[in-house]
Structure formats: C-alpha cells, structure tokens
Amino acid sequence: MNVLYVNHTGQMSGGEQSLLTLLSGLPEQISPVVACPAGPLADAVCRLGIPVASIPALDASLRLHPWHTTRGLAALAMAGIAIREHSRRYGAQIIHGNSIRSGLFALPAAPLGGTPVLVHVRDCLPRTPQANLVRRLTLGGAARVIANSRYTAANFAGGFSGAGKMRVVYNAVDLHQFAPERVDRAVARTQLGWGESSSCIGVIAQLSPWKGQDDAIRSLALLRKHEPEARLLIVGQAKFTTAATRFDNNAYAARLQALVRELDLGDSVSFLGERNDVPEILSALDLLLVPSWEEPFGRTIIEAMAMETPVIATSIGGSAEIVSNGVDGLLLAPRQPQLWADAMTRLLPDRARRRAMGMAGRAKVVDRFSVARHVSEILRIYEEVNANRSRTSRTLPATSPGFVP
C-alpha cells in the first residue's frame, strides 16, 4: 500500500516525533513517502531511508486576518497543487495528513473519487467561527479523522456532522530508546551538574504560554521553602514564532527568564533549549511536570513513564487518559502553582512511592503505548478506508475527476 504522509511544517515538535515513531514501525507492505517542507523533519525522514517530497510551509493562523489569511490561502492552494502532483506521481492509495493544517493542505488534493485523505488531529481548537469552519471542512472532506485522545476527539467533533469518522489512536513511545536500563542515572545527573541529594524536577516542551513553564517556575519558588536545594530544568525552545502564530512565543521565552530573576531563583532554574538526549534527562529527573493549561495527549508523559520517572500532569486533556491518579503519577488542576508545590513537597521525600509510581508507569506504557500497537491500529484504519473506497469506486464512473487507478 502506497501512503503519502503530509506534514505542514519542517520543524520538529510532538506531532513530528509521533510521525517518525509511526514511520519507524511500518511493516514492509506499506510504502511511505513524506511530503513536508525542508527542515529537521525532512532530514530525520531521510535518515530513516524514506523518500521526501517537498511542499511549501504553511504557517498561517486559523484565525481570520486580512493579511495572514490571504497569505495562508495562497500557501494552501500551492501546497494542495504540490500534494496532488506527489499523490499522482507516487500512486498514493492513502494520503495521511499529520496535523489539522496538514489535512487542510491535503483535502483539496483529493476530490470526489480521488485518493482518500486521513487527517490526524493532535491539537484542541477553540470554539470560534473560524475553528468551527475548519472542523466542518475536515469532517466533511476526510475519509477518517484520527485523534490522539478521546479528549481531542470530543473537542474536534463534538456536535458536528461527520463525528462518526473519528477514530482514537494513542501516540506511542519507542520502548527500546526509552528504556531505564540503557541509562546510568548517576552519570546522567553528574553530566547535568546535579548530585543525588538535590531534588530535580523538569518540564520538557516547546516554549509557549499554554505549556505552563511559568507556573512550573512559580511552583519551584514555593517548593524551595521546604526543599531549598530543589532545581528545575526547562527543556525546549520557542519553535513557532511567525506573526501568524497564536502566541508570541519569543516574548514568552524572554518573560520566563525575567520571572526567574524576579523570584530570585538564580541558577536553580536551567534552560537547556532543544535536546536530543531526552531519555537521559528523564532518567536524571525525580519528577516530570506537565503543567499545560490543556494537553491534547502529552507525549512526554509516556516517555517519562517508559523511563520509570513519575509524572505530575495537568488534569485537563488527554493526560487523564494516560495517568491513573495516585498510581503511576498525579493529576492536578493547571495554573495553580501552590497546589503543584504542595504535591511535590509531599512526593519528593517519598522515594518508595516515587519508585512504585515509576514501575507502574513503565508497565502501563509497555501494555498500552507500544509502537507495535500504535502501528496496528493505524493500519486497521487504512484497511477500513480502502475497503470503503473499493465499495464506493464501483458506483463511480472510471473517469471521475481526480481518480487515481
């Protein structure tokens, strides 16, 4: 089966990591091609030995704006033309858009009778007229819409026609890469400049207001009243920084640095930027924090659990479908630094409880979030779509516009 995967950006974030995980686990009967702009994602795909087809980047906002919307529509049209050409050239039997914007790229490339499009929804949209239009276009045009959690599915399709096309497939983690026995925790902590006596917490996410790094910094200031040697590691950078992006992420990154100075936290907060040694960092942490305002899934949650690192995560979003509160982590309401500081004050000194949480987390990830299970569920959707297409094609004339034999 020939599958054309479409990604709207060449930058790397959680969705792109999830795509690479899927690609790495595909069986031989799937022949993949990835259509994306030039950048780190294309380089990573090439390293997997998978062909890359170039398309323009789409950085347009889903909000209406007289300048950005015009540019976005033009980019959308150009990308749609490129994707349609790539689909014909490679004989794609399925086009898999790796994000909402990727789906908007791909849908114009597949008119009635053409290659079916799957749209992978990894983000939660607001309830605005513009976002609702995106929902209607996607649910109306896609053969199937894959959500990374039940929470994301409900956000995207709730109350809209076409909700029956939704399928939930959780993200996966590479259990060989994220394996605690592969990392020496003492060495990892030494390389970060930590001793075993310090309590070390971390946030691993792109720098953006909704990810809540500022709340983690405020929580650290409160925690240090009880744990004066506690340290916070912030891993990630401001990735999406164009004028069309919802948040001014560069300004937010600067505010985080200012907040550290304001709270007089000195070198107890370390900003590491983007890192490739995430398993080692997770192994070195005593707790991973995921303080997002809302988390569609929470990829770093399953990565931490795979490394037997306990997690405190936001209670809003897909994280509540991953973490069993009090068993393999904690779920807390976001934007309440005192609540998070209190939980850490109780949990950090209790090594036995943290160890039990870590072991329970690893067992859950092995059972529910393996690459093999993820790939199997995606392939089941491909088969379902192709079966439906075969039945539909028998009712259409062979000269239908856009038909790909």
Side-chain angles (χ1 to χ4, degrees):
M1 182 188 301
N2 298 332
V3 182
L4 179 65
Y5 296 90
V6 179
N7 203 74
H8 71 281
T9 176
Q11 297 301 311
M12 292 293 296
S13 192
E16 289 70 39
Q17 292 288 354
S18 293
L19 174 60
L20 291 172
T21 300
L22 170 63
L23 293 172
S24 68
L26 291 175
E28 291 184 357
Q29 62 262 36
I30 301 296
S31 179
V33 174
V34 176
C36 67
L41 174 62
D43 296 341
V45 172
C46 288
R47 288 194 291 271
L48 291 176
I50 294 173
V52 174
S54 179
I55 60 173
L58 178 63
D59 60 7
S61 171
L62 298 180
R63 300 168 289 157
L64 290 180
H65 184 282
W67 170 242
H68 300 307
T69 300
T70 302
R71 292 180 61 198
L73 290 174
L76 190 67
M78 292 175 60
I81 293 170
I83 292 167
R84 187 165 185 172
E85 177 58 29
H86 292 321
S87 176
R88 290 179 180 277
R89 181 182 305 161
Y90 292 103
Q93 295 161 282
I94 283 178
I95 300 174
H96 186 153
N98 191 49
S99 66
I100 297 172
R101 292 182 186 180
S102 304
L104 293 176
F105 264 6
L107 286 171
L112 180 64
T115 309
V117 174
L118 280 67
V119 179
H120 214 129
V121 178
R122 304 182 183 277
D123 298 300
C124 294
L125 297 182
R127 291 285 173 171
T128 63
Q130 299 90 340
N132 289 343
L133 176 60
V134 169
R135 289 180 170 97
R136 292 188 182 96
L137 290 172
T138 303
L139 290 167
R144 292 292 182 274
V145 180
I146 303 171
N148 59 6
S149 68
R150 295 193 302 272
Y151 183 89
T152 302
N155 167 275
F156 192 82
F160 288 87
S161 175
K165 296 180 178 181
M166 297 293 307
R167 301 290 184 270
V168 174
V169 179
Y170 292 122
N171 293 334
V173 62
D174 184 338
L175 293 167
H176 300 289
Q177 179 186 8
F178 289 85
E181 64 273 12
R182 293 185 64 249
V183 179
D184 186 317
R185 172 182 162 87
V187 171
R189 287 176 72 95
T190 298
Q191 290 175 342
L192 291 167
W194 302 340
E196 275 299 325
S197 60
S198 300
S199 294
C200 302
I201 59 178
V203 180
I204 303 176
Q206 61 172 295
L207 301 187
S208 187
W210 70 276
K211 286 295 188 179
Q213 288 94 345
D214 54 347
D215 288 326
I217 293 171
R218 294 186 180 95
S219 296
L220 175 70
L222 295 166
L223 171 66
R224 280 171 65 87
K225 296 176 182 178
H226 305 278
E227 295 268 352
E229 299 301 315
R231 302 182 59 131
L232 171 65
L233 195 65
I234 295 180
V235 178
Q237 64 185 35
K239 288 179 173 291
F240 304 105
T241 58
T242 67
T245 304
R246 180 182 178 189
F247 296 107
D248 187 341
N249 293 328
N250 279 331
Y252 175 70
R255 289 200 302 273
L256 293 178
Q257 299 275 358
L259 182 61
V260 171
R261 294 190 295 270
E262 176 188 328
L263 296 176
D264 195 25
L265 290 173
D267 60 1
S268 62
V269 179
S270 300
F271 293 87
L272 291 192
E274 195 76 4
R275 297 284 292 229
N276 294 320
D277 56 345
V278 173
E280 288 76 11
I281 290 172
L282 286 169
S283 178
L285 295 176
D286 296 304
L287 290 172
L288 177 76
L289 307 185
V290 185
S292 313
W293 302 347
E294 174 184 59
E295 191 61 60
F297 177 77
R299 179 177 181 81
T300 56
I301 297 175
I302 58 174
E303 291 176 345
M305 293 168 74
M307 293 302 298
E308 297 185 352
T309 300
V311 180
I312 302 180
T314 177
S315 59
I316 299 179
S319 48
E321 300 168 39
I322 304 172
V323 176
S324 298
N325 190 33
V327 177
D328 45 37
L330 297 178
L331 294 169
L332 297 176
R335 311 185 82 168
Q336 298 187 40
Q338 185 67 64
L339 181 66
W340 288 62
D342 291 345
M344 288 188 285
T345 299
R346 293 190 297 270
L347 186 55
L348 282 169
D350 194 342
R351 292 195 176 193
R353 189 182 182 202
R354 286 192 283 113
R355 176 63 178 156
M357 282 183 169
M359 294 177 66
R362 173 74 184 183
K364 177 180 283 186
V365 168
V366 170
D367 181 53
R368 294 181 55 193
F369 301 105
S370 69
V371 174
R373 179 168 180 168
H374 177 78
V375 171
S376 175
E377 292 176 359
I378 292 292
L379 294 184
R380 190 176 301 119
I381 296 172
Y382 290 173
E383 293 166 1
E384 177 186 344
V385 167
N386 267 339
N388 288 345
R389 185 189 181 201
S390 296
R391 289 192 295 270
T392 302
S393 65
R394 289 194 291 268
T395 69
L396 293 172
T399 56
S400 295
F403 179 75
V404 180

